Amino acid sequence: MAISESAVQHNVTLDDVVITVVMARVTDFFGFFVYAIASALVFPTVFFPHLDPLSGTLWSFGLFSLAFIARPIASMLARSIQYKIGRPGKITLALMILGSSTVAIGLLPGYQTWGIAAPVMLGVLRFVQGLGLGGAWDGITLQLKSAAPEGREGRYSMVAQLGGPIGFCVAAALFYVLTGFLTEEEFLTYGWRFAFFAVMAVNVVSLFARLRLLTTNFGSDDARLLQSAPLPQLIKTEWRTILLSALLPLSSYALFHMVTVFPLSYALLFSGRDITEILLLQLLGGTLAIGSVMVSGALADMLSRRIVLFISSLLTLVLCLSIATLETMPAIYILLGFVVLGLSYGQSSSIVPNRFKVEHQYSGSAMSTNLSWLLGAAFAPLTGLFLASTFGLWAAALYLLSGVVVTLIALYLLQDGDRKRAQAQ
């Protein structure tokens, strides 16, 4: 692999860039999944003990979605902040907000102490987390794509995506240790809080990693690539691309929570299996997902990103058929799910941004990314659990299937648009 001339001039090697990108993304997703896992294992008991376990978990997943609602709002607010204090200042402020709200959740008293104020404050802090997450979007994927030599774009694009499965593995490993070595009372009283304190520590690492990237020139020398475009102009000229970019990874983002958070809640509520068994399976699945993310990069370069997403969509159909195994052999659904997740997520964020004009790529990608998480991931645990508990696992499979349909329609529209542009030329 080669790097841009500007990166060489700043004494930055490709290994430095890759390590720093992965480090930043791993720390982001570690905090993301610490909250997600706690939503299934901790919050129903600590913040909703006055409800039955199913209702408490559904309310917990409802609060979980608040961060995704906040992300598009944060994305728009961050635009004006970036104009005033620059991209490094914006990222620093966003991570400070994210870290502070995360630690505050770890310190938050439960329902037995604060009553209804406890879940209300949890919801407020979760929304604030979303503001930090949305404001911390930094355009690293765009830079990596622009740095890629011809024919290696898929491999470069998947680098940042490795943070998802690695971050999950770190979070799941921490909860595996906490649930395995503490009694249930110890874990629910104070053990879970250590995970949130650990997030603050790794956020400091993430901040320095991101600032290093922001002050490093790699990829395109075109300054427009990382500029915020005026919002009215962006929406007027790029609304179709933003919409396609938001809908295209819908299946991948829904799958993200349907193989991580959903199996934990279902096992805890319905299967009676030891939760450490599910966490161990998910650790193995996360390891497989790391490998399939890497495979997605190689396949995208050999075939195309579009074909990789099409293949992963077809494999998701197979996964839907296997969802009933959560009752008897959860390893089948979980391990297959993580493999498919890696293939789809590895290229999900990189297929459309090149269709933005250069001056709109940064703002357009930020907006579409946050909308994608809102539409695809925010309500996946809540919807999946509600459908499974009301109608059965087959209904949760249909929900996952709906995301596949949306992704395939977006792929078709994308291809149709390319064909029409080619004919017009």
Side-chain angles (χ1 to χ4, degrees):
M1 291 185 182
I3 57 174
S4 69
E5 189 175 287
S6 59
V8 175
Q9 291 172 349
H10 287 75
N11 298 316
V12 175
T13 68
L14 179 60
D15 288 343
D16 291 334
V17 171
V18 169
I19 291 171
T20 307
V21 168
V22 173
M23 184 186 304
R25 285 292 183 262
V26 168
T27 53
D28 288 350
F29 276 97
F30 169 67
F32 179 95
F33 280 114
V34 161
Y35 188 99
I37 294 173
S39 292
L41 303 187
V42 177
F43 297 158
T45 301
V46 174
F47 294 99
F48 300 99
H50 55 298
L51 303 175
D52 63 86
L54 175 59
S55 298
T57 305
L58 290 173
W59 271 101
S60 177
F61 286 166
L63 298 186
F64 174 76
S65 67
L66 292 178
F68 299 93
I69 296 172
R71 286 180 68 156
I73 298 172
S75 181
M76 290 186 286
L77 292 174
R79 297 164 55 82
S80 58
I81 294 174
Q82 183 168 325
Y83 281 127
K84 296 178 181 178
I85 62 177
R87 202 155 61 108
K90 181 200 74 170
I91 298 297
T92 301
L93 177 61
L95 289 181
M96 287 178 60
I97 292 172
L98 177 60
S100 299
S101 58
T102 301
V103 170
I105 291 174
L107 295 171
L108 192 61
Y111 185 89
Q112 300 291 0
T113 303
W114 275 16
I116 194 64
V120 169
M121 279 304 301
L122 179 62
V124 170
L125 292 172
R126 179 58 176 167
F127 189 85
V128 174
Q129 272 192 320
L131 295 178
L133 284 167
W137 197 89
D138 51 17
I140 288 176
T141 304
L142 296 178
Q143 291 177 279
L144 282 170
K145 285 186 64 179
S146 68
E150 186 176 353
R152 317 259 310 176
E153 293 89 348
R155 289 177 175 86
Y156 273 63
S157 298
M158 68 85 185
V159 168
Q161 307 300 84
L162 286 170
I166 296 175
F168 172 78
C169 285
V170 176
L174 180 56
F175 275 96
Y176 177 78
V177 171
L178 290 172
T179 56
F181 290 90
L182 296 176
T183 65
E184 182 178 359
E185 182 181 358
E186 291 170 338
F187 173 68
L188 292 174
T189 302
Y190 63 85
W192 66 272
R193 300 179 186 275
F194 288 114
F196 284 82
F197 301 151
V199 171
M200 182 58 179
V202 298
N203 262 355
V204 175
V205 177
S206 178
L207 175 59
F208 284 107
R210 285 169 177 268
L211 291 179
R212 186 183 184 201
L213 287 178
L214 293 177
T215 56
T216 297
N217 291 327
F218 67 96
S220 173
D221 292 326
D222 193 338
R224 296 175 299 169
L225 184 66
L226 296 176
Q227 285 182 349
S228 288
L231 185 60
Q233 180 191 54
L234 176 68
I235 295 176
K236 181 180 179 180
T237 60
E238 303 282 8
W239 67 269
R240 186 179 185 276
T241 307
I242 291 172
L243 184 60
L244 279 177
S245 300
L247 295 178
L248 195 61
L250 212 65
S251 173
S252 174
Y253 289 175
L255 186 59
F256 224 110
H257 290 151
M258 290 299 288
V259 300
T260 56
V261 187
F262 174 72
L264 288 171
S265 61
Y266 190 84
L268 200 62
L269 292 169
F270 300 112
S271 75
R273 291 181 177 273
D274 189 341
I275 206 65
T276 56
E277 175 191 349
I278 303 300
L279 285 169
L280 191 58
L281 284 173
Q282 291 185 323
L283 276 170
L284 179 56
T287 304
L288 294 175
I290 295 169
S292 58
V293 167
M294 295 180 180
V295 170
S296 78
L299 288 177
D301 290 335
M302 291 171 55
L303 305 171
S304 72
R305 295 184 188 89
R306 191 175 299 164
I307 291 177
V308 171
L309 282 182
F310 181 74
I311 292 172
S312 63
S313 295
L314 294 182
L315 289 174
T316 305
L317 297 178
V318 178
L319 180 66
C320 290
L321 296 176
S322 73
I323 197 169
T325 62
L326 270 178
E327 293 277 5
T328 54
M329 297 183 65
I332 295 176
Y333 174 81
I334 291 173
L335 298 184
L336 176 60
F338 272 100
V339 171
V340 177
L341 173 63
L343 285 175
S344 60
Y345 181 67
Q347 299 299 313
S348 61
S349 68
S350 63
I351 189 170
V352 175
N354 280 348
R355 288 168 171 77
F356 287 107
K357 295 177 181 178
V358 174
E359 61 269 23
H360 296 156
Q361 283 195 18
Y362 181 78
S363 297
S365 296
M367 182 176 292
S368 59
T369 297
N370 286 317
L371 284 175
S372 291
W373 283 108
L374 173 60
L375 297 173
F379 303 100
L382 176 64
T383 305
L385 182 61
F386 173 78
L387 291 174
S389 62
T390 305
F391 304 104
L393 284 170
W394 64 269
L398 286 181
Y399 167 69
L400 188 54
L401 182 61
S402 69
V404 176
V405 172
V406 172
T407 292
L408 291 176
I409 292 174
L411 275 173
Y412 170 78
L413 293 175
L414 186 64
Q415 185 174 9
D416 188 56
D418 289 346
R419 180 180 56 81
K420 290 179 179 178
R421 279 191 294 269
Q423 290 176 348
Q425 294 174 354

